[in-house]
Amino acid sequence: MGKEDAELSLAKRSYRIAKEEGNRQEEARWANSIGNILKNRGEYVEALRWLRLDYHVTLKHLSVKQLLPTCQSLGEVLLCLERFKDALVYQKKHLELAKDSGDLVEQQRASTQLGRTYHEMFLRSSDDHISIRNAKKYFRSAMQLAQTLKDSAPMGESSFLNEYIDAFNNIGMLEFDIDNLEEAKDTLIKGLEICDEEEIPEDNASRSRLHHNLGNVYTELRKWDKAKDHIEKDILICKKIKHCQGEAKGYINLGELHYRVQKYDEARICYNKGLHLAKSLEDEDALVEQIKENINVVEEAIKVMNALRNEEQNLKKNARSLVAARGSPGERNCLLNHNRSLDLLIEKAGIILAWPKHLEFAKQKKTVAAELHDKEKLSDSFLVIGESYQKLRNFSKALKWYKKSWQMYKAIGNMEGQALAKINIGAVFDCNGDWTGALNAYEEGYRIALGANLPSVQLTALENMHYSHMIRFDNTHEARQLQLLIDELKQSNDGKLEAQKTGAECCSETDTEGENCSIACSSPLKSILNAYETQSNPIEEINDDIPLITIFNECKQSSKLESIIVPEKSNALSHSKLVSPKIQEGSSGTVVGRKRIRLVLSDDEDNEAQTDVGCSRRDIENYGGEGIDTSGGSVLCKRSPVAVMKASGCPTNSYNPINLEESMCSYRAGSSGKLALQNARDALSGGSKCIYDAAETLSHRDFTAHSGSHALADKLKRYITFRINNDLVRVKDGFLLSDDNLTIESLKAQLACLYFLQLPAEKRIKGLLPILKQLQISERIFESPEEFGCLDLLESVVVEVLISGWIHKPIMKLYVDCCEDLTEVPDLKLLTRLYNLEVSEDEVIASDCELQDVSITPLLNALSARGTISMLNLSHNLLGNVTVEKLQKILNSSGQNYGDLSLDLHCNRFGATSLFQICECPVLFERLVMLNISGNRLTDSCGYYISTILKSCRALYSLNIERCCISSRTIEMISDAIHDKSTLSKLWIGHNDNILGNAIISLLSKLGTLPRFSELSLSGLKLSKTVVDHLCQLVKTISLSGLMLSGTSLGTGGALPLTEAFLSESCELVKFDLSSCGLSPNYFSQLSTNDLLGGISEVNLGGNNITQEVNYLTI
């Protein structure tokens, strides 16, 4: 501080001398220097006074050009003080002066500052569509200018390199704030790569900001080790360059990271370090108070964790009581107590963001609900399981359970549950990037809530719809209309909303039972939310000592009860920012609004600090939104989320990417694979009947997930026994409910696979599997898996399985044998895929089995032993280049040099070099007819390989390279590779970045020379008028059967001539996709619907501003 005081004193002395001498230029310069010194020390008010002196002196006595640095400094300080309108005045003046003088350097700085200001305005608003638009515009402009300045610098110099790197930081954080986490990560990593390429010193402030923000992104992605690594690097750099504020905020981030993984002692240490640093700064009271608030939240979280542990002990006692009460009249009462205990645990786990625990308790709740034969509780448990998986960022499983909950709510007629499930399904779609699907789900949820007169659910759905239109689709008109509807609903239904939150319908099937009927309500969120603080209001008593099977068999038509529950709530703070329709964190897990709570702090060289925090009433009910973290760099940062807990009663939370664990067939427990199969064979050899325990043989994750981890759980296992060809197969109760496809046909397929697994090697040698006709007990035939819930599993019931025939599946036999050789447990999901009765022996479907390069080894070995194959589908797995390398060797060694071969490899982790393996496989030159490699990050590195495939694979007629991160360069190489003798007839190149119109035009010209070409997808690309004109010409040249242009922003002006071109030609277009193309009602006013239907078989017009009646037309 002594050096800084000396620097300030010297500057003030120089200012006084210049003023006394009348040297206006020096007077202004020193006033500006003093203002910047004070700004860097965090004394913003005093800094503003000196900078205004600089401005007035410059304006009165100096040239206009010299106002550039003055306007920049004033804009920065006013931004720090959150006076955004005043900041915009000076920043726009700065940009205007820079443009007038042709100064690219100042234009870049002004654009950066304008982007930051609009970004901050966006963070503090729920419906500021203009601000997010302007933030994007100015940040992108700043990056382009920075790149221009960097490229024009003399050789050997790194002029303006830091600004260029900071531009990546700004855009990365903007992507982060609109929940595009993967894009944010890629952008920030690109910034670090540039630092390495340009040999930027390790102790550089730009590196610090990138590490800071990457720490935030990885925290949201639940990649804890990477997050910690980047945060610690940020702290180390700030310490070395003596950036005290940045170091303090680095410790806030580290404290938040520890908080999210329930390491509260470490979190307290980090926050205390940050507090000590923050107290050493001037005008940083907000930062100090924030850290103190975070420390208080950690203390509260410790109390919740202790309460959770105590409740876990209570759960164990309940479990012991339940074992003792099995088969007695008190069993039902014990189950209800067990359910209440689980509700408390689920709520507490949600409060402290312990999502693995949350999932464990939710699955146990599902098991209890199934034993109670209570569909209401079962529906709630499905919803909570879906929430757990969503917070763990396992979106595929989250979607699966949300759909289950929706189906169950629909079956029992619970309209609120249906609406909430639909909204949550939309949130998962949004997380996965399916924005159209998300919007459709929100709209469906709104329609259901509107029909059921549920104002609070309507509001949540409307807010999510508003977010989708504003952020995802940039649809200003729709966003404004929805905002008006939201405001109107809030004003007209304040009383109704409050009443709905304090009272709920109770189902006679769930809420009139047990000691406290108000704990579980018909609302899927209140069965958990009200478990912590409820008031007993028994209206009707039911004898808890009635046996379970008796109650289950009774007619459940009793009237619904009203239960008034008024949980205590904290006061909500003001709204701060609209970010995402993602489900808010919390144990309720049912409805979440789109808003996340934000506190914005600065961590760049300008040392800004903001303290705006927001939490809606809905946010409080759902324990807030996770995503409040600190961020740095040129984009202002957000604070740690844990600080919200004190104000709102709810902490904030995060998400995790797709589960990267190995699939079932890579699960190892010594030699469990061989032992399990051998045990089955030994049992079979001892007599005519074999009892095959599926729960013990296959992966524990699928068969024991709902039984708990304690030894006591083994006593609670209940099974359904199936008799297949005089052999018995036992399946754990609850496995049927957790199956991917709740249909009787999928159950038959799994039973056939389980039966095959228990056969000895000598009986498996032929590869024959049974075709199951029906499942029955006596005269009762089961039509759906849910019907097995009606069985009294305490009795020894055996389900008879009738066999209608046998089918030859040699690939399954080889796969099981290879698993045995490698001591791997066969993957039941993969076996079910291979059992598919609708495909031939030469077709192998192994999609969506969570296979990785290691766990797919038994299947590849089986394919190698099999030799012949005509179709291989490995889509939607986690496979990498190693798998393609192995596959190439298998095909080369197969000896099959003729016959069509289709490869479906989309949605994996393949890189460009995976295509190199195809180029090096001569067998594919003659055999490959279809290649789908979409959804893999191939980049432009794949251009040469794809062109080689097009030239060499003479039979190739279908190629799909959508969503592969390719640009114009690759498209141009594809165009060059296409020749007039090519057999290509189908091509998908949509949803790729930076594909220019010239490249598309060149491609269309080449496609017009192919006599067999019939189907083209350009979805997601931006098509100019010139491109549309060439498309019309292509339509007139060749006969297309399919044209997909979804999301191309054609507008009515582009779609109309294209449609007319189809109708004017003799081609029979089967599919025409114009969804989300910005079409208006004029599209139909200028074109006869009858003509459209008469010329095209299927037209998709969803996502356009047209009437619902014509959104999707099909003949």
Side-chain angles (χ1 to χ4, degrees), residues 1018-1030:
L1018 301 176
S1019 297
L1021 305 182
K1022 299 302 178 184
L1023 304 183
S1024 64
K1025 184 180 183 302
T1026 308
V1027 175
V1028 174
D1029 292 340
H1030 280 78

Side-chain angles (χ1 to χ4, degrees), residues 653-798:
N653 31 48
S654 75
Y655 305 88
N656 187 18
I658 191 169
N659 187 358
L660 304 183
E661 294 179 0
E662 286 291 334
S663 63
M664 283 191 288
C665 56
S666 65
Y667 174 82
R668 289 174 182 264
S671 57
S672 58
K674 284 189 175 181
L675 287 175
L677 294 176
Q678 190 59 46
N679 290 340
R681 294 177 198 137
D682 293 343
L684 184 63
S685 62
S688 61
K689 293 186 179 181
C690 168
I691 298 179
Y692 179 70
D693 190 345
E696 297 299 330
T697 304
L698 296 181
S699 170
H700 297 338
R701 284 177 292 175
D702 283 337
F703 296 91
T704 61
H706 306 287
S707 61
S709 58
H710 306 291
L712 178 62
D714 292 335
K715 301 178 181 179
L716 303 179
K717 289 182 180 178
R718 292 159 34 137
Y719 297 88
I720 300 176
T721 303
F722 298 86
R723 180 182 286 111
I724 306 174
N725 200 29
N726 290 327
D727 293 328
L728 300 182
V729 176
R730 293 196 304 167
V731 176
K732 185 171 175 285
D733 183 32
F735 166 67
L736 300 180
L737 292 175
S738 65
D739 187 57
D740 288 336
N741 301 302
L742 285 176
T743 65
I744 199 66
E745 294 304 320
S746 65
L747 176 58
K748 290 177 183 178
Q750 293 185 32
L751 287 173
C753 294
L754 293 174
Y755 166 79
F756 183 73
L757 282 175
Q758 59 89 28
L759 293 176
E762 58 271 17
K763 288 193 176 183
R764 284 204 326 263
I765 196 168
K766 294 181 180 180
L768 292 176
L769 280 90
I771 300 175
L772 307 187
K773 181 179 180 181
Q774 61 188 32
L775 314 179
Q776 66 181 49
I777 296 180
S778 299
E779 299 299 324
R780 177 181 180 179
I781 299 175
F782 292 90
E783 301 294 340
S784 69
E786 288 82 0
E787 295 181 33
F788 290 100
C790 302
L791 298 178
D792 183 3
L793 300 181
L794 297 177
E795 302 294 334
S796 56
V797 177
V798 177

Side-chain angles (χ1 to χ4, degrees), residues 747-935:
L747 176 58
K748 290 177 183 178
Q750 293 185 32
L751 287 173
C753 294
L754 293 174
Y755 166 79
F756 183 73
L757 282 175
Q758 59 89 28
L759 293 176
E762 58 271 17
K763 288 193 176 183
R764 284 204 326 263
I765 196 168
K766 294 181 180 180
L768 292 176
L769 280 90
I771 300 175
L772 307 187
K773 181 179 180 181
Q774 61 188 32
L775 314 179
Q776 66 181 49
I777 296 180
S778 299
E779 299 299 324
R780 177 181 180 179
I781 299 175
F782 292 90
E783 301 294 340
S784 69
E786 288 82 0
E787 295 181 33
F788 290 100
C790 302
L791 298 178
D792 183 3
L793 300 181
L794 297 177
E795 302 294 334
S796 56
V797 177
V798 177
V799 180
E800 297 291 340
V801 181
L802 302 185
I803 298 175
S804 61
W806 298 82
I807 186 171
H808 188 220
K809 291 289 180 180
I811 192 67
M812 290 185 65
K813 182 261 180 187
L814 293 171
Y815 170 70
V816 174
D817 291 346
C818 291
C819 285
E820 184 177 15
D821 294 339
L822 296 171
T823 66
E824 294 280 359
V825 179
D827 186 333
L828 183 59
K829 184 184 287 188
L830 177 56
L831 282 170
T832 306
R833 296 281 194 275
L834 298 177
Y835 177 76
N836 192 334
L837 299 176
E838 298 178 359
V839 300
S840 68
E841 296 179 12
D842 296 329
E843 295 176 278
V844 177
I845 298 177
S847 61
D848 194 21
C849 294
E850 301 180 14
L851 298 176
Q852 292 189 1
D853 289 330
V854 175
S855 56
I856 198 177
T857 300
L859 178 60
L860 293 179
N861 291 349
L863 292 176
S864 179
R866 172 69 177 163
T868 58
I869 183 174
S870 63
M871 190 272 283
L872 178 62
N873 184 346
L874 298 176
S875 61
H876 292 281
N877 285 296
L878 308 171
L879 304 171
N881 294 345
V882 174
T883 295
V884 183
E885 183 178 353
K886 294 178 181 177
L887 186 59
Q888 184 240 64
K889 294 177 181 177
I890 292 171
L891 293 173
N892 280 333
S893 62
S894 66
Q896 186 180 3
N897 297 319
Y898 53 88
D900 292 349
L901 174 62
S902 299
L903 289 180
D904 190 347
L905 308 175
H906 75 273
C907 293
N908 277 280
R909 296 178 181 168
F910 299 126
T913 53
S914 63
L915 297 181
F916 168 75
Q917 303 297 333
I918 296 177
C919 296
E920 291 294 304
C921 185
V923 171
L924 293 179
F925 294 168
E926 299 294 335
R927 298 191 59 202
L928 187 62
V929 295
M930 190 278 285
L931 177 62
N932 186 348
I933 197 78
S934 63

